[in-house]
């Protein structure tokens, strides 16, 4: 113990000296080493709540001496989650819930009803909170937010909305020439050229032509 205290007194932040001090004490007085080591370990663990970075450094030093100590290993893993060194994996239930939320949002997106996109975005936000690495959910929420932004930026007049509704009805009836005429009229106004509903109908028309 005196060796450890001597090294720490003159080299308190020197990792190599700190580890060397432990090794010397373990060789000369194993019983004293174990007592002091346990005290140091518990002191470092108590420090986790108030100074996690310092606790992390100290526990890494202790791991040099006891690499197979499961208590140290577990504490280091938890600290790495706390410090953002590694990402905590979501549990299987969270992954499944995230998948279900994504599927609900995808169904809303595929319905082409932008009025319900805000509901889909809420589903996706929850999915991402459950699984932050869900790249499909990230891409879909970006797409839906862009379309909502484009839609809100171009509010249709009452007459234009009637024309759009007529164009959708004509599309469903497969009167594609009439759909094209109505779309051309709607898109002749610059403010409508970013309207998500109009652009979506044009995309659908192009897909069948």
């Amino acid at each position: 113990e005196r060796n450890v205290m001597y090294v720490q007194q003159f080299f308190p932040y020197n990792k190599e000296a700190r580890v060397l001090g432990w090794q010397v004490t373990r060789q000369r007085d194993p019983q004293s080493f174990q007592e002091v080591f346990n005290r140091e370990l518990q002191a470092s663990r108590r420090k986790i709540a108030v100074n996690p970075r310092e606790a992390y450094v100290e526990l890494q030093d202790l791991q040099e001496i006891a690499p197979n100590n499961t208590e140290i290993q577990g504490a280091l893993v938890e600290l790495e989650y706390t410090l953002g060194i590694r990402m905590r994996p979501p549990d299987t239930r969270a992954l499944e819930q995230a998948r279900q939320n994504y599927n609900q949002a995808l169904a809303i997106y595929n319905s082409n009803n932008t009025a319900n996109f805000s509901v889909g975005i809420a589903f996706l936000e929850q999915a991402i909170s459950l699984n932050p690495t869900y790249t499909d959910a990230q891409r879909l929420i970006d797409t839906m937010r862009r379309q909502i932004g484009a839609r809100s930026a171009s509010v249709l007049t009452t007459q234009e909305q009637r024309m759009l509704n007529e164009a959708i009805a004509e599309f469903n009836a497969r009167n594609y020439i009439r759909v094209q005429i109505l779309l051309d009229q709607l898109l002749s106004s610059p403010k409508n050229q970013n309207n998500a509903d109009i652009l979506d109908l044009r995309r659908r028309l192009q897909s069948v032509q």
Side-chain angles (χ1 to χ4, degrees):
E1 182 174 356
R2 288 195 301 271
N3 290 319
V4 174
M5 294 177 63
Y6 176 84
V7 171
Q8 290 180 346
Q9 179 181 359
F10 291 97
F11 306 99
Y13 303 111
N14 188 303
K15 177 178 179 179
E16 289 77 12
R18 179 180 170 86
V19 173
L20 177 61
W22 289 116
Q23 291 171 339
V24 170
T25 302
R26 181 163 57 183
Q27 289 289 332
R28 293 186 176 180
D29 190 349
Q31 183 177 352
S32 176
F33 160 78
Q34 195 60 52
E35 293 174 358
V36 177
F37 184 86
N38 289 339
R39 286 202 300 271
E40 287 283 326
L41 174 55
Q42 297 311 313
S44 295
R45 295 207 62 173
R46 287 192 297 271
K47 197 176 291 184
I48 289 174
V50 294
N51 194 337
R53 292 189 180 278
E54 188 172 333
Y56 184 68
V57 172
E58 292 178 1
L59 286 168
Q60 282 184 314
D61 291 349
L62 293 172
Q63 191 179 44
E64 291 276 345
I65 301 300
N68 297 322
N69 187 297
T70 55
E71 184 178 359
I72 295 175
Q73 292 171 353
L76 284 172
V77 169
E78 287 300 317
L79 274 167
E80 288 174 356
Y81 292 144
T82 300
L83 297 172
I85 297 172
R86 71 167 76 183
M87 184 173 292
R88 190 186 300 275
D91 60 36
T92 54
R93 288 175 298 180
L95 289 174
E96 175 59 23
Q97 184 61 55
R99 187 187 66 80
Q100 291 178 15
N101 289 346
Y102 171 79
N103 287 339
Q104 288 176 289
L106 184 61
I108 291 172
Y109 175 73
N110 288 336
S111 73
N112 295 313
N113 186 353
T114 55
N116 289 334
F117 274 21
S118 59
V119 177
I121 288 172
F123 280 126
L124 291 169
E125 287 173 342
Q126 186 177 3
I128 293 167
S129 70
L130 292 168
N131 182 5
T133 62
Y134 205 158
T135 54
D136 286 343
Q138 290 282 4
R139 283 195 290 265
L140 184 56
I141 199 172
D142 289 343
T143 299
M144 295 179 82
R145 282 172 173 164
R146 282 196 301 270
Q147 292 196 17
I148 281 183
R151 182 173 181 269
S152 63
S154 174
V155 178
L156 300 179
T157 65
T158 302
Q159 182 180 356
E160 288 170 339
Q161 186 63 55
R162 287 200 199 98
M163 290 174 62
L164 177 59
N165 292 341
E166 181 184 350
I168 293 172
E170 295 289 357
F171 179 86
N172 292 333
R174 300 184 180 181
N175 297 324
Y176 300 135
I177 294 177
R178 177 61 180 164
V179 175
Q180 186 65 64
I181 292 171
L182 290 167
L183 282 176
D184 289 343
Q185 293 178 22
L186 287 167
L187 290 170
S188 65
S189 174
K191 77 177 184 64
N192 292 338
Q193 292 174 5
N194 290 321
N195 183 282
D197 291 335
I198 295 174
L199 295 178
D200 180 65
L201 181 58
R202 184 176 68 176
R203 177 183 60 79
R204 293 163 64 191
L205 179 63
Q206 290 172 344
S207 68
V208 297
Q209 288 179 335

